[in-house]
Amino acid sequence: MTAETQLSPTPRSTVIRGKKRAVQDRQVLYDILDAGLVCHLAVEVDGAPFLIPTAYGRDGNRIFLHGSTGSRSIRSMVEGKQVCVAVTLVDGVVYSRSVFHHSMNYRSAIIHGTATIAEDPEHALRTIVEHVTPGSWDYARSPSKKELAQTVALEIDLTEASVKVRDGGPGEEPSDLEANLVWAGHMPLVQTWGTPVPHETDKAIPPHVSARGR
Amino acid sequence: MTAETQLSPTPRSTVIRGKKRAVQDRQVLYDILDAGLVCHLAVEVDGAPFLIPTAYGRDGNRIFLHGSTGSRSIRSMVEGKQVCVAVTLVDGVVYSRSVFHHSMNYRSAIIHGTATIAEDPEHALRTIVEHVTPGSWDYARSPSKKELAQTVALEIDLTEASVKVRDGGPGEEPSDLEANLVWAGHMPLVQTWGTPVPHETDKAIPPHVSARGR
């Protein structure tokens, strides 16, 4: 792991709580972002924190978000402001011999940055659509000028980020492990794609959709 | 639906974007919180928004969170401050005939409130443990005084909240629907529990664990 691929150790992106779960490899950050579908974006609005759950897409060391250009839009709330973005994947729950050491297995990415208007909005939208529904950008009707004008795309740099990962079974107090009075272990939580549900169409399910669940 | 079961219509908890997805029934808020495992808590720290993904549990019209009492703890960051909490469940992706109307199916709950120290920390911890790992509080070793002293429990009132739900197939432009050039529909995303993985134990898997996936 070189300095370039390491995550940045600024004070707020340094993991304090649960330090042993901290991961320094930038590739793990990318893998988590690529595996998630929704992020949570936090921004201050009228002096209080405000959360927006939203789709995103990653391109290199940045992510794109999008929203409409309407009132109380993501643009008016977020542009130029400091934001925090989280993508959290829950992989399971952990049953310990003690209540205290019950836990969850997860992959967590937290990004600190500033949201700016994406220089190339069409590229940003393509990145988001291809992240959420791979293959759809070239398959479905392209956005019209009017549709593009209704959409704003934002970008956030991934330089300042922290990553935590927990997997496997419980940590235990040595005395609980020795006494071994109860069952302990972990239970995976698995996400799978269900069967596609057609919408008023007699067309065959295209490969970019049918191949997804396999 | 009576006024009491309706969600509060404060300006910040009134859904502007995607208004047709807004849900006013408080029971839907509770159902979303009961179905989720992790929430995202946003709070301002040093003038910037900060996000904490964490477990929670609901009891009536409040949720509990917990953390350690260590440095840069959830308590020091959050106690007495305005917070925003989100629980988002992704139920699938939506393939439209146009790129523009691609979407996701989801259930989203956003809560605005102030985090206070829970009056009865043991009840709060029990609520969280029983939410994440039902049956574990009575089965596993109870927290010692020392363990309880290392833990802080916070509570957040659910009065000011907004809920959005999207399900089903795509919305379409009438012209895209008429032309009907490509396949459209939606694909469910399903979460299931995997097989429990024992941890250094010869004990039988207890019913509260083995029954979970069924």
Side-chain angles (χ1 to χ4, degrees):
Chain A
M1 194 161 61
T2 68
E4 270 181 17
T5 64
Q6 278 200 326
L7 294 174
S8 61
T10 64
R12 66 182 175 182
S13 69
T14 299
V15 174
I16 304 284
R17 188 183 169 214
K19 214 180 277 193
K20 65 184 169 184
R21 312 280 175 224
V23 173
Q24 293 304 324
D25 185 350
R26 186 162 289 275
Q27 187 58 48
V28 180
L29 170 67
Y30 296 161
D31 292 345
I32 292 170
L33 295 177
D34 294 350
L37 280 172
V38 155
C39 69
H40 284 82
L41 171 78
V43 64
E44 194 197 290
V45 175
D46 298 334
F50 195 90
L51 273 172
I52 305 169
T54 188
Y56 64 92
R58 182 182 73 86
D59 174 31
N61 200 47
R62 59 190 172 166
I63 54 168
F64 298 114
L65 315 174
H66 71 318
S68 80
T69 49
S71 68
R72 203 170 82 175
S73 66
I74 196 169
R75 177 178 184 165
S76 66
M77 283 195 282
V78 170
E79 187 188 355
K81 284 203 206 166
Q82 289 201 73
V83 296
C84 187
V85 177
V87 173
T88 308
L89 309 171
V90 179
D91 293 324
V93 294
V94 182
Y95 296 88
S96 161
R97 289 159 180 85
S98 64
V99 160
F100 186 73
H101 286 293
H102 272 60
S103 188
M104 302 176 87
N105 284 328
Y106 61 86
R107 288 164 285 161
S108 159
I110 308 276
I111 299 135
H112 305 273
T114 303
T116 58
I117 298 292
E119 279 175 36
D120 182 346
E122 200 161 327
H123 172 70
L125 293 176
R126 185 189 184 110
T127 303
I128 298 167
V129 167
E130 286 297 295
H131 175 68
V132 176
T133 47
S136 277
W137 186 270
D138 289 330
Y139 179 76
R141 176 177 62 74
S142 299
S144 66
K145 279 188 185 170
K146 191 182 156 197
E147 287 170 343
L148 283 175
Q150 286 173 50
T151 313
V152 64
L154 295 161
E155 89 176 55
I156 298 164
D157 186 275
L158 298 177
T159 299
E160 191 178 354
S162 62
V163 170
K164 283 169 79 177
V165 174
R166 192 206 188 283
D167 60 14
E172 299 281 18
E173 298 299 325
S175 54
D176 290 326
L177 201 55
E178 200 180 341
N180 198 27
L181 296 174
V182 297
W183 185 88
H186 66 97
M187 183 181 273
L189 188 61
V190 186
Q191 275 201 329
T192 46
W193 292 106
T195 308
V197 181
H199 174 256
E200 301 179 27
T201 178
D202 55 1
K203 306 270 183 286
I205 299 172
H208 71 280
V209 176
S210 60
R212 187 161 202 178
R214 289 173 201 162
Chain B
M1 193 160 62
T2 68
E4 269 182 17
T5 64
Q6 278 200 326
L7 294 173
S8 62
T10 64
R12 66 182 175 182
S13 70
T14 299
V15 174
I16 304 284
R17 188 183 170 215
K19 214 180 279 191
K20 65 183 171 186
R21 312 281 175 224
V23 174
Q24 292 304 324
D25 185 350
R26 186 162 290 275
Q27 186 57 47
V28 180
L29 169 68
Y30 296 161
D31 291 345
I32 292 170
L33 296 177
D34 294 350
L37 280 172
V38 155
C39 69
H40 285 82
L41 171 78
V43 64
E44 194 198 289
V45 176
D46 299 334
F50 195 90
L51 273 171
I52 306 169
T54 188
Y56 66 91
R58 182 183 73 86
D59 174 30
N61 200 47
R62 58 190 174 167
I63 54 168
F64 298 114
L65 314 173
H66 71 316
S68 80
T69 50
S71 67
R72 203 171 81 174
S73 65
I74 196 169
R75 177 178 183 163
S76 66
M77 282 196 283
V78 170
E79 187 189 355
K81 284 203 207 168
Q82 289 202 72
V83 297
C84 187
V85 177
V87 173
T88 309
L89 309 170
V90 180
D91 293 324
V93 294
V94 181
Y95 296 88
S96 161
R97 289 157 180 87
S98 65
V99 160
F100 186 71
H101 285 294
H102 272 61
S103 188
M104 303 176 87
N105 284 329
Y106 60 85
R107 289 163 287 160
S108 160
I110 309 276
I111 299 136
H112 306 274
T114 303
T116 57
I117 298 294
E119 280 174 35
D120 182 347
E122 199 161 328
H123 172 70
L125 293 176
R126 185 189 185 110
T127 303
I128 298 167
V129 168
E130 286 297 296
H131 174 69
V132 176
T133 47
S136 276
W137 186 269
D138 289 330
Y139 178 77
R141 176 177 63 73
S142 299
S144 66
K145 279 188 186 172
K146 191 182 157 197
E147 287 169 343
L148 284 175
Q150 286 173 49
T151 312
V152 64
L154 296 161
E155 90 177 53
I156 298 163
D157 185 275
L158 298 178
T159 299
E160 191 179 354
S162 62
V163 170
K164 283 170 79 177
V165 174
R166 193 207 187 282
D167 59 14
E172 299 282 18
E173 298 299 326
S175 54
D176 289 327
L177 201 55
E178 200 181 341
N180 199 25
L181 295 174
V182 297
W183 184 88
H186 66 97
M187 183 181 272
L189 188 62
V190 186
Q191 275 202 329
T192 46
W193 292 106
T195 307
V197 181
H199 175 256
E200 301 179 29
T201 179
D202 54 0
K203 305 272 183 285
I205 299 172
H208 72 280
V209 176
S210 60
R212 187 162 201 175
R214 289 174 201 160

